[in-house]
Amino acid sequence: MGESGFLIIFLVVLMGFGVFFMNSNNLIVNRILKADVNDLASINVNKANYKNVASKLSKMVIDITLDTSHNLDTSSLDKYKKIESLLNSVISLDPSDNNAQIMLGLIQNKIGQLEDYLNPNDPDSTKNYENSVANLTKNPSQPGGDSLQNIILADSLLHLCQKYANSKDKVSVYANQAIETFNKIMSGSLKDNAYKQLYAITALNLGNVESQINPSFALNYYQLAQNTLQSILTSEPNDVGTKLELANVYTNIANYYLINNNSAIAMNNFNQSGLIYQELLAHNPKSFDIMNNYVSELSQLGKVHEMQNNKLEASRTYTQALDLCNQMLALKPNDMTVKTNITNLTDTINNLK
């Protein structure tokens, strides 16, 4: 074989190695979108791939942030923590990557929520909310700017209000920052219904914080949440998550009016909430989460009937909640919270006789 032949073979082999390394990086990047925690753990961020990895991680984090379906388990927590680690690696290679910093703040908010759910007394959840706030404020969004960044920043601040509930000074600072951030969001900038739902949830949580520090403004946020969720249902009338959030809003409005001594409007809102749960259960009769939310609403309604000295209605409401708890226990026989609720509801019903 002549010299030119060897040259051709050498170039083909060299190109083959180049394609191999390019495809290797592409495989790493493309795996991220469908990754589980074991897959993410095998990824190494380096100078050759970090920009592509950052881009794919960004899409993944946004999808996770917009998901309000409450997939709360340990495997999700492990996955989110690995994403956090990968984003930190990206930032170490490019400290000027503002988007990676924002994505880090978003995923830390999700980690905080999961830790709250899995272990409410774990101080790590507080730290994650604080980290979320720090990263989301390094590159502040302008009024009308990135709505997702502002929604999650406000949410992390509101969680910190709950974490530091015993410190009025800290609650005041965090609440004011949350209000200022939330007011930057223009409803017209919300890209789709997923954004609107997060916006409504944050408005509801803001109303709950305001009910503790400035009650006269709480109703405004509750009504904003209500109107936003109802607008979603005009285009997605069967969306279960939106209906669950709307039922929760009605319950919070009911409690607001109870505090303000308007039991008639309170009862009307409790009834609206109950109708939504009944509708949802008619289509999802074995949904543990829906039943759990309905039990909570019925328990609050039963207490209202007790306050009004209407023992018959109170007993009927508590019995309805007890029946749901028994159905929940059939779905999760070892759930200690359900067992405790059954004991408490049984005692309450017996005491009303």
Side-chain angles (χ1 to χ4, degrees):
M1 182 179 292
E3 186 174 325
S4 62
F6 281 110
L7 180 60
I8 292 170
I9 292 172
F10 174 77
L11 289 172
V12 170
V13 171
L14 186 63
M15 288 174 64
F17 274 109
V19 170
F20 171 79
F21 284 117
M22 286 173 62
N23 285 340
S24 176
N25 273 337
N26 285 335
L27 286 172
I28 288 173
V29 170
N30 290 334
R31 278 209 323 267
I32 294 174
L33 292 179
K34 300 178 181 178
D36 61 18
V37 66
N38 293 324
D39 208 13
L40 286 168
S42 69
I43 295 173
N44 288 316
V45 178
N46 54 53
K47 289 182 179 180
N49 71 3
Y50 80 88
K51 288 186 178 180
N52 284 334
V53 170
S55 175
K56 299 301 181 183
L57 283 172
S58 179
K59 184 183 186 309
M60 193 178 199
V61 171
I62 290 172
D63 288 345
I64 289 169
T65 302
L66 293 174
D67 181 10
T68 56
S69 58
H70 307 296
N71 296 318
L72 305 175
D73 53 42
T74 304
S75 63
S76 293
L77 181 59
D78 292 340
K79 179 176 179 177
Y80 297 168
K81 285 185 175 180
K82 184 56 188 175
I83 293 171
E84 179 187 29
S85 176
L86 289 171
L87 284 167
N88 275 317
S89 296
V90 168
I91 293 167
S92 69
L93 289 166
D94 185 3
S96 66
D97 191 333
N98 296 339
N99 187 65
Q101 206 88 51
I102 292 168
M103 293 303 110
L104 184 60
L106 297 184
I107 202 67
Q108 285 165 336
N109 171 276
K110 273 289 187 180
I111 293 171
Q113 289 185 46
L114 261 173
E115 287 173 334
D116 262 344
Y117 178 80
L118 296 171
N119 186 3
N121 297 318
D122 190 343
D124 281 350
S125 62
T126 303
K127 188 63 179 174
N128 273 287
Y129 292 131
E130 289 172 339
N131 289 339
S132 174
V133 169
N135 284 304
L136 291 173
T137 52
K138 283 181 181 176
N139 303 285
S141 172
Q142 298 302 311
D146 188 279
S147 55
L148 189 59
Q149 179 181 352
N150 285 327
I151 290 170
I152 300 306
L153 174 54
D155 182 75
S156 289
L157 288 164
L158 293 171
H159 278 290
L160 288 174
C161 287
Q162 296 173 345
K163 295 296 182 181
Y164 292 105
N166 293 327
S167 172
K168 289 184 178 180
D169 289 341
K170 284 191 175 183
V171 169
S172 179
V173 169
Y174 288 133
N176 286 331
Q177 288 178 340
I179 292 166
E180 181 182 347
T181 302
F182 188 80
N183 288 339
K184 286 183 180 180
I185 305 164
M186 296 181 180
S187 58
S189 72
L190 302 175
K191 297 178 181 179
D192 53 36
N193 285 342
Y195 280 74
K196 288 181 180 179
Q197 190 175 85
L198 277 179
Y199 179 74
I201 293 169
T202 305
L204 171 61
N205 292 335
L206 193 50
N208 288 339
V209 170
E210 283 281 63
S211 69
Q212 302 299 315
I213 61 175
N214 199 351
S216 61
F217 289 103
L219 186 60
N220 293 335
Y221 290 110
Y222 290 147
Q223 290 175 335
L224 179 59
Q226 178 187 347
N227 293 336
T228 303
L229 292 168
Q230 287 174 332
S231 74
I232 296 173
L233 291 172
T234 59
S235 59
E236 296 185 31
N238 299 317
D239 187 82
V240 173
T242 301
K243 288 184 177 180
L244 272 172
E245 294 298 343
L246 183 57
N248 191 25
V249 169
Y250 277 124
T251 299
N252 280 273
I253 293 174
N255 285 318
Y256 171 86
Y257 278 109
L258 274 180
I259 293 170
N260 288 277
N261 300 314
N262 195 327
S263 59
I265 297 180
M267 292 298 290
N268 180 58
N269 280 279
F270 275 126
N271 289 335
Q272 290 294 325
S273 179
L275 288 172
I276 293 174
Y277 287 127
Q278 289 169 24
E279 177 194 344
L280 289 172
L281 283 174
H283 293 94
N284 308 275
K286 292 187 178 181
S287 172
F288 187 92
D289 288 339
I290 294 173
M291 283 189 274
N292 192 42
N293 284 325
Y294 195 14
V295 166
S296 176
E297 192 266 350
L298 288 169
S299 297
Q300 292 178 71
L301 181 56
K303 290 176 183 176
V304 176
H305 287 306
E306 279 194 85
M307 288 166 53
Q308 296 177 337
N309 204 29
N310 191 340
K311 291 186 178 182
L312 185 62
E313 276 301 309
S315 180
R316 185 190 68 81
T317 305
Y318 288 134
T319 300
Q320 192 177 356
L322 180 60
D323 290 342
L324 286 169
C325 282
N326 284 320
Q327 293 177 50
M328 291 166 67
L329 194 62
L331 295 172
K332 294 186 178 181
N334 299 317
D335 193 302
M336 291 307 300
T337 301
V338 175
K339 290 180 178 180
T340 300
N341 284 340
I342 288 174
T343 300
N344 292 339
L345 285 166
T346 302
D347 291 342
T348 302
I349 293 167
N350 289 334
N351 290 334
L352 287 169
K353 293 179 180 178

